[in-house]
Amino acid sequence: MLSDKQTQPWLNTAWSDVIFIISPAFFSLLLVLLFPGQFQNSSGIPLAYWVFLIVFIDVAHVYSTLYRTYFSPGNFKRQYTLLISIPLACYIIGVILYRFDGLWFWRILAYLAVYHFIRQQYGFMRLYSRNENSIKLFTTIDKIAIYTATLYPLLFWHLSSGRNFNWFIEGDFFTFKNDMLLRYSSIVYILIIAIYMVKEIFLVINKRWINIPRNLIVIGTFLSWYFGIVYFNGDMAFTTLNVISHGIPYIALIWFFEKKKIGDKTVKNKIMDLCFGKFGIFYFLLILVLFAYLEEGLWDGLVWKEHQSVFKPFSSLPQVTNNELLSLLVPLLALPQATHYVLDGFIWKTKNKF
């Protein structure tokens, strides 16, 4: 079997890919397994841990899209119409939805987020398959496997009852308990895993080579989604596996891509020059955290009033309770998320590939 790292389709380097893109799914699962009492059945999240997961990773990763869109002069000029029209459309649709029914606003946002999370895993699998010259049958098996890794746990969520966690708010997912459909889908799930394993064994035997990063992405997706949604039934377990395995790899991908594109050049845009120059990673992450803290502070100060000790600069803001004002405010505060979910479907097209 070939082991030379040059033969593997790393996006940056072997060690950086493993640490920041591949290992988060395995690390988060290990964390949950090491402390089952805290994670498995918990219905809440300690405040400090919530700040780390939600502010520093989940919300922060949303703003990393800025470096590939609005902060990038070339991309902004080339995709000006798209970058202006998408947030405008998201806000208008959000206001209409919230005026109709607040639950439906969060429900559609949740399903949009789910689609984004699923597509990210497929995207990583495709990136790590970019140099393969496989027959269509094998690429189809890969595609079915990565989608099964995400869709079966979601189907389990919808078909079972008693999940102790939500995506955004209680009731945002539809549920329709059906034990028979769940049983048959479980059989298909196991069968697809077996087919994928047989395919990989065949490749190892016949080609004497294995695509390490692609296989680790597929395995990590199966493990993190299954244990986060199906096996464990706790808010901490779900949030840990969901946020860490999604947010950190996305931030890393943005950093790898833009750093490679800029290289050692000095760019005219001050933000990009600062964030991708010497010590750039510090400024890159600092800007993400500042944006995330500002957004969550506004949410807490104007809407939730749940973590005022963390967001003291915003604690004096008046809580908005009027439905008419909320229908304008909530879609505005959720706009970075909604724009991130929609834009992500455009900014990784093949013309912008590594």
Side-chain angles (χ1 to χ4, degrees):
M1 185 184 302
L2 297 176
S3 58
D4 185 353
K5 66 180 180 180
Q6 297 299 322
T7 66
Q8 298 295 332
W10 305 112
L11 302 179
N12 190 51
T13 63
W15 71 267
S16 60
D17 278 35
V18 169
I19 292 174
F20 298 109
I21 292 181
I22 293 171
S23 71
F26 297 95
F27 171 78
S28 55
L29 177 57
L30 178 63
L31 189 64
V32 174
L33 292 174
L34 287 176
F35 303 98
Q38 287 74 22
F39 286 96
Q40 187 167 359
N41 295 308
S42 63
S43 57
I45 303 177
L47 181 57
Y49 192 58
W50 179 88
V51 171
F52 170 71
L53 288 180
I54 304 303
V55 180
F56 291 175
I57 300 178
D58 190 31
V59 181
H61 102 275
V62 167
Y63 287 97
S64 63
T65 307
L66 291 170
Y67 293 102
R68 190 149 168 75
T69 52
Y70 302 96
F71 286 170
S72 174
N75 287 345
F76 184 76
K77 184 177 180 180
R78 184 169 59 254
Q79 299 177 308
Y80 175 82
T81 302
L82 183 74
L83 296 179
I84 296 300
S85 60
I86 283 182
L88 183 61
C90 286
Y91 182 66
I92 293 172
I93 293 171
V95 171
I96 293 172
L97 282 172
Y98 201 93
R99 280 181 178 272
F100 170 71
D101 189 329
L103 176 60
W104 272 97
F105 169 84
W106 288 110
R107 176 169 288 160
I108 291 177
L109 190 64
Y111 281 107
L112 186 61
V114 167
Y115 176 77
H116 163 70
F117 274 58
I118 292 172
R119 289 292 293 177
Q120 174 168 308
Q121 298 312 110
Y122 172 74
F124 273 120
M125 189 273 292
R126 291 290 298 152
L127 283 173
Y128 284 125
S129 304
R130 68 191 184 279
N131 297 332
E132 291 184 344
N133 188 24
S134 299
I135 62 174
K136 187 174 182 179
L137 174 62
F138 290 169
T139 58
T140 300
I141 291 174
D142 291 343
K143 184 175 182 178
I144 292 174
I146 198 70
Y147 278 127
T148 300
T150 55
L151 290 176
Y152 170 75
L154 289 169
L155 186 63
F156 181 91
W157 191 340
H158 285 73
L159 296 178
S160 60
S161 60
R163 296 292 88 190
N164 294 329
F165 48 85
N166 307 291
W167 196 279
F168 286 132
I169 65 170
E170 185 175 356
D172 51 12
F173 276 6
F174 293 107
T175 55
F176 36 97
K177 186 174 175 60
N178 190 316
D179 292 335
M180 184 178 71
L181 184 56
L182 188 59
R183 184 164 56 251
Y184 284 122
S185 63
S186 300
I187 295 172
V188 173
Y189 180 71
I190 295 171
L191 181 62
I192 290 172
I193 293 175
I195 292 171
Y196 181 84
M197 291 175 63
V198 169
K199 187 265 293 185
E200 286 302 306
I201 293 171
F202 174 84
L203 289 176
V204 170
I205 293 173
N206 286 270
K207 293 191 175 183
R208 302 187 62 79
W209 185 78
I210 185 170
N211 186 326
I212 294 173
R214 172 175 56 75
N215 276 284
L216 289 176
I217 282 292
V218 172
I219 294 169
T221 304
F222 269 105
L223 291 175
S224 60
W225 284 68
Y226 179 84
F227 279 93
I229 295 174
V230 179
Y231 186 81
F232 291 112
N233 188 20
D235 191 23
M236 274 186 69
F238 168 70
T239 306
T240 297
L241 287 156
N242 189 39
V243 168
I244 293 178
S245 60
H246 176 81
I248 293 176
Y250 191 91
I251 292 172
L253 183 65
I254 293 285
W255 168 260
F256 294 160
F257 187 94
E258 295 302 322
K259 182 64 177 175
K260 180 178 288 188
K261 186 171 69 174
I262 294 173
D264 296 325
K265 296 182 295 184
T266 300
V267 293
K268 294 180 180 180
N269 183 282
K270 291 183 178 180
I271 294 178
M272 297 294 281
D273 189 44
L274 179 68
C275 294
F276 294 96
K278 190 176 182 181
F279 305 117
I281 188 64
F282 170 78
Y283 298 106
F284 174 85
L285 295 174
L286 178 63
I287 288 175
L288 296 186
V289 171
L290 289 176
F291 270 114
Y293 183 81
L294 174 62
E295 180 191 315
E296 283 301 308
L298 291 172
W299 273 112
D300 196 76
L302 294 171
V303 181
W304 306 125
K305 293 292 184 182
E306 293 177 342
H307 303 118
Q308 295 185 60
S309 61
V310 176
F311 303 107
K312 286 184 179 180
F314 305 90
S315 60
S316 60
L317 292 175
Q319 185 174 20
V320 177
T321 56
N322 180 272
N323 286 331
E324 293 296 317
L325 291 177
L326 284 173
S327 69
L328 298 174
L329 176 63
V330 170
L332 182 63
L333 293 177
L335 188 58
Q337 281 179 284
T339 302
H340 165 71
Y341 298 150
V342 177
L343 271 182
D344 196 62
F346 295 92
I347 63 176
W348 298 108
K349 297 298 183 181
T350 54
K351 65 181 179 179
N352 296 322
K353 68 182 180 181
F354 278 80

